[in-house]
Amino acid sequence: SPPPMTMSVDNARCRLWRICQVEAPDLFDVATHDRLRYLNKVPHGDEEQARSAARCCPARAIHLSGELAGGDR
């Protein structure tokens, strides 16, 4: 099976607009004190949520890698 998709967020670009949390609530959480928490390794089955979050991020701060990333970023 292919390696898991991995995800990173460019903190210099992220503006904490929380769109990623809306698109992928299982993967992102903007916690108290405006700290973004996210899963670095995307669980199997949540790849589409990750792709959607990356597509919808207006700051283009979310980067996906791995065979399952789909070439979006």
Side-chain angles (χ1 to χ4, degrees), residues 50-73:
R51 285 190 286 269
S52 180
R55 253 192 324 271
C56 293
C57 178
R60 299 288 183 244
I62 302 167
H63 303 281
L64 306 176
S65 60
E67 288 182 40
L68 299 175
D72 285 344
R73 302 226 190 296

Side-chain angles (χ1 to χ4, degrees), residues 3-8 26-27 38-44 46 50:
M5 179 190 291
T6 58
M7 180 168 55
S8 63
D26 296 334
L27 306 177
Y38 65 95
L39 298 180
N40 180 256
K41 288 188 176 147
V42 177
H44 180 66
D46 287 339

Side-chain angles (χ1 to χ4, degrees), residues 15-49:
R15 296 292 176 257
L16 296 170
W17 286 320
R18 294 176 169 85
I19 295 168
C20 57
Q21 185 174 303
V22 172
E23 293 295 321
D26 296 334
L27 306 177
F28 293 90
D29 179 44
V30 179
T32 55
H33 307 297
D34 284 337
R35 294 186 58 116
L36 175 66
R37 297 169 57 171
Y38 65 95
L39 298 180
N40 180 256
K41 288 188 176 147
V42 177
H44 180 66
D46 287 339
E47 295 88 3
E48 189 51 43
Q49 275 191 51

